[in-house]
């Protein structure tokens, strides 16, 4: 954040508010040992601009210095005003509001409004937002036909990614990305239709008839309806499970520049429509090192099988035989605040569903890991995915549908990130540089002359 200094002009007596960095510029002085030249590089918001390094050359023909940062370990790719994380302290805020307060006092759709629009809605804004999302939950009948083409054992994330990409063909108006009204319409469509697609994927798998959305129900209540309604005339979601799912959705709404958000921004930067960009983000989320970890946690707990096998499993992890899934995070070097809230939510869910026996293994695994030098030294703590799968399983979700639940919730974050990128004048098509270390120029060798 830029601070102002009050400057008085002695000639006129007038006072001016001037950003501190203009009056007292902060610089990083770089001395190039190859040439002995000195370069002052301006520091703004704790960063230097990578393009400012390009002036550092050994000769006029030199391309100039670049920074090398595989996996963006220390590179900010944007300025953002959506989500704040302090990974060392375990702090997460959406638009300034602590995640703990939002999880306790808000609803998913209200949080989605906040994440996408920047402010908490007024009553009428929230009603309008809910109404518009609810009235965009239906899918075109051809989407149903499209989904019927998937094998019954198709992974739900594959179905979700493909179907969301297919929405692009149903809504060609979504290409009007510079039109704010069109962007809002696509936000309603994406947030509205994600649960419907997810539920259709689930029912397709089981060979059950699709259930149409019920507009009388809440966002999560309707999702449970589309998943679990059988022959009853009207589905009544269990209020505890409906709220628990809503809280889980709040916790997953955004998480700044993670792999899938970065994918959404990257695809969006080519000015592709938001449906194909979201399909790319879903694909990124699918991976086991990102949203796919919750699925892997359950598989891991199932393989461990019982509490007494935990020490042996930890030994294997430390010997490099595999990772403790649901542990560790690029940003959090402390307990993930979302994991804390999920642990509390688990108790409420288990009162309704009965205790998931895997919880005991998970608690023992966490206890032992948090006391172990290997995990302490590397600052590895449970992340959001560690306990979420245990709750989802108790609620009746199949293991490979867990990441789909994550994707539904994260849709609001992806939209917010995409929109912020589009409106940021500093952004252009995302295109990293490379350090080429391959062969130098060489002549083509005819096949008969190759060794
Ligand atoms: N189990 C065991 N060791 C681990 C784990 C783990 N879960 N995570 C990291 N480490 C170790 C690494 O082996 C490495 O050790 P070393 O220094 O001896 O080589 C060290 O900790 C640092 O790990 P990196 O892989 O360099 O950390 P990075 O920031 O690249 O990875 C990640 C973060 C991918 C989340 C990693 O911790 C991991 O694979 N965790 C398990 C998968 C998971 O739970 N992912 C979900 C993340 S939350 C989300 O995306 C929603």
């Amino acid at each position: 954040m830029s601070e102002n200094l009050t400057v008085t002009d002695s000639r006129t007596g007038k006072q001016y508010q001037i950003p501190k960095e203009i009056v007292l510029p902060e610089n990083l002085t770089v001395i190039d040992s190859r040439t002995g030249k000195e370069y002052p590089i301006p520091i703004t918001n704790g960063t230097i601009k990578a393009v400012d390094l390009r002036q550092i050359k050994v000769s006029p023909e030199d391309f100039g210095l670049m920074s090398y940062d595989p996996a963006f370990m220390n590179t900010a790719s944007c300025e953002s005003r959506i989500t704040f994380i302090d990974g060392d302290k375990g702090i997460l805020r959406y638009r300034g509001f602590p995640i703990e307060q939002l999880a306790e006092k808000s609803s998913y759709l209200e949080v989605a409004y906040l994440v996408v629009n920047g402010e908490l809605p007024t009553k009428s804004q929230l009603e309008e937002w809910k109404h518009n999302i609810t009235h965009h939950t239906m899918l075109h009948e051809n989407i149903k036909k499209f989904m019927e083409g998937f094998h019954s054992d198709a992974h739900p994330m594959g179905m979700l990614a493909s179907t969301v990409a297919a929405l692009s063909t149903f809504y060609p108006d979504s290409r009007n990305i510079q039109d704010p009204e069109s962007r809002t319409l696509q936000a309603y469509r994406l947030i509205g239709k994600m649960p419907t697609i997810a539920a259709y994927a689930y029912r397709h798998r089981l060979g059950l008839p699709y259930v149409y959305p019920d507009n009388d129900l809440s966002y999560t209540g309707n999702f449970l309806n589309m998943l679990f309604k059988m022959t009853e005339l009207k589905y009544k979601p269990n209020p505890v499970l409906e709220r628990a799912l809503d809280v889980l959705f709040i916790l997953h709404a955004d998480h700044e520049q993670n792999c899938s958000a970065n994918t959404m921004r990257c695809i969006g930067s080519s000015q592709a429509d938001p449906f194909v960009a979201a399909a790319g983000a879903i694909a990124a989320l699918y991976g086991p090192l990102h949203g796919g970890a919750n699925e892997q946690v359950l598989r891991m707990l199932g393989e461990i099988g019982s509490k007494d096998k935990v020490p042996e499993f930890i030994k294997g992890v430390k010997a490099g035989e595999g990772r403790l899934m649901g542990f560790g995070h690029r940003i959090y070097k402390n307990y993930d605040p979302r994991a804390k809230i999920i642990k509390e939510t688990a108790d409420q869910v288990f009162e309704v569903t009965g205790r998931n026996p895997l919880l005991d293994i998970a608690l023992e695994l966490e206890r032992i890991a948090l006391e172990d030098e290997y995990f302490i030294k590397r600052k590895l703590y449970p992340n959001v995915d560690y306990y979420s799968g245990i709750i989802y399983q108790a609620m009746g979700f199949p293991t490979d549908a867990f990441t789909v639940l994550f994707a539904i919730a994260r849709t609001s974050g992806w939209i917010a990130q995409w929109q912020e990128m589009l409106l940021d004048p500093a952004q252009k098509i995302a295109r990293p540089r490379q350090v080429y270390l391959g062969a130098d120029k060489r002549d083509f060798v005819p096949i008969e002359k190759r060794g």
Side-chain angles (χ1 to χ4, degrees):
M1 288 301 132
S2 148
E3 283 175 54
N4 285 341
L5 287 182
T6 306
V7 175
T8 310
D9 184 341
S10 60
R11 298 165 305 175
T12 59
K14 272 192 186 168
Q15 286 197 329
Y16 301 89
Q17 295 294 317
I18 304 202
K20 198 175 146 198
E21 60 268 20
I22 293 181
V23 187
L24 303 167
E26 289 181 340
N27 284 332
L28 170 77
T29 305
V30 176
I31 302 171
D32 187 343
S33 65
R34 300 168 302 177
T35 58
K37 271 196 190 164
E38 228 177 72
Y39 301 85
I41 312 271
I43 298 175
T44 313
N45 296 324
T47 59
I48 57 160
K49 285 196 174 130
V51 287
D52 284 346
L53 300 175
R54 287 273 287 280
Q55 59 182 306
I56 304 177
K57 300 179 178 202
V58 281
S59 66
E61 303 77 50
D62 185 358
F63 180 78
L65 204 66
M66 289 193 295
S67 60
Y68 172 60
D69 188 11
F72 304 109
M73 293 294 286
N74 195 35
T75 294
S77 64
C78 61
E79 290 179 343
S80 185
R81 290 169 177 79
I82 302 170
T83 292
F84 171 79
I85 303 175
D86 183 328
D88 292 328
K89 294 195 182 121
I91 294 173
L92 169 62
R93 297 180 201 134
Y94 299 155
R95 303 285 189 182
F97 297 101
I99 191 67
E100 294 79 7
Q101 290 182 23
L102 294 170
E104 189 193 332
K105 299 182 178 155
S106 190
S107 68
Y108 174 68
L109 282 191
E110 188 176 38
V111 167
Y113 182 98
L114 170 72
V115 168
V116 172
N117 296 300
E119 292 297 335
L120 284 168
T122 61
K123 251 186 187 175
S124 63
Q125 284 169 333
L126 182 59
E127 281 320 306
E128 192 188 339
W129 175 252
K130 278 188 189 166
H131 178 274
N132 286 330
I133 289 174
T134 306
H135 287 81
H136 282 94
T137 47
M138 293 278 278
L139 295 176
H140 192 291
E141 287 295 302
N142 284 354
I143 297 251
K144 262 170 54 183
K145 290 189 203 146
F146 173 86
M147 293 187 76
E148 275 159 17
F150 289 111
H151 276 276
S152 58
D153 62 353
H155 195 289
M157 279 301 275
M159 285 198 251
L160 187 71
S162 329
T163 311
V164 170
L167 288 181
S168 154
T169 66
F170 286 81
Y171 303 110
D173 60 314
S174 64
R175 275 178 251 148
N176 299 330
I177 53 163
Q178 306 299 352
D179 173 3
E181 272 181 35
S182 172
R183 285 200 300 269
T184 305
L185 176 59
Q186 311 324 322
Y188 295 146
R189 285 176 173 154
L190 261 171
I191 298 172
K193 292 179 201 310
M194 286 287 280
T196 319
I197 299 171
Y200 278 20
Y202 170 77
R203 307 228 6 150
H204 172 69
R205 189 92 175 290
L206 299 175
L208 289 169
Y210 303 131
V211 174
Y212 285 92
D214 180 343
N215 287 357
D216 296 339
L217 297 175
S218 72
Y219 188 72
T220 39
N222 173 50
F223 181 44
L224 292 170
N225 159 65
M226 293 188 292
L227 289 163
F228 300 130
K229 183 171 184 286
M230 298 307 272
T231 52
E232 64 270 44
L233 282 179
K234 184 124 181 123
Y235 179 85
K236 284 203 191 93
N238 178 300
V240 175
L241 302 187
E242 184 182 1
R243 175 64 192 157
L245 195 57
D246 213 54
V247 170
L248 284 158
F249 280 6
I250 291 172
L251 301 181
H252 286 88
D254 192 54
H255 212 233
E256 52 121 306
Q257 306 312 313
N258 53 79
C259 181
S260 56
N262 184 53
T263 307
M264 183 85 190
R265 280 179 175 260
C266 183
I267 300 177
S269 77
S270 75
Q271 305 199 344
D273 71 66
F275 295 108
V276 286
I282 293 167
L285 190 72
Y286 192 176
L289 296 189
H290 191 9
N294 52 17
E295 185 180 336
Q296 299 306 322
V297 171
L298 262 266
R299 297 195 195 288
M300 174 188 77
L301 295 175
E303 277 163 27
I304 296 173
S306 59
K307 263 170 77 172
D308 55 307
K309 303 265 170 57
V310 168
E312 194 187 321
F313 177 79
I314 296 262
K315 217 167 138 193
V317 169
K318 285 160 62 179
E321 286 165 18
R323 291 206 157 185
L324 173 46
M325 298 311 285
F327 256 68
H329 199 276
R330 173 63 60 78
I331 306 288
Y332 291 117
K333 301 299 165 201
N334 200 328
Y335 214 102
D336 183 335
R338 301 167 300 173
K340 262 188 210 152
I341 301 168
I342 292 182
K343 229 172 145 181
E344 289 156 21
T345 309
D347 294 332
Q348 294 152 22
V349 169
F350 294 154
E351 270 183 33
V352 177
T353 62
R355 195 175 165 85
N356 187 336
L358 293 180
L359 181 66
D360 293 327
I361 304 176
L363 288 170
E364 181 68 355
L365 199 53
E366 180 190 336
R367 189 186 67 74
I368 295 185
L370 293 184
E371 287 172 356
D372 192 293
E373 186 54 26
Y374 174 95
F375 296 90
I376 296 171
K377 206 173 115 206
R378 290 169 179 78
K379 298 189 177 167
L380 301 170
Y381 292 87
N383 61 49
V384 69
D385 287 326
Y386 191 65
Y387 285 107
S388 62
I390 299 174
I391 304 187
Y392 291 146
Q393 190 181 57
M395 288 171 88
F397 291 103
T399 311
D400 58 8
F402 296 170
T403 316
V404 171
L405 303 173
F406 192 154
I408 295 172
R410 186 52 62 84
T411 303
S412 51
W414 290 331
I415 293 165
Q417 298 286 346
W418 167 72
Q419 182 151 271
E420 189 176 64
M421 180 274 306
L422 284 177
L423 298 178
D424 181 350
Q427 292 293 333
K428 292 168 173 248
I429 185 166
R431 206 308 186 178
R433 293 274 174 185
Q434 65 168 8
V435 181
Y436 179 73
L437 298 177
D440 207 349
K441 181 181 175 283
R442 48 187 177 159
D443 288 325
F444 181 81
V445 182
I447 197 158
E448 58 278 7
K449 290 200 176 155
R450 285 175 220 162

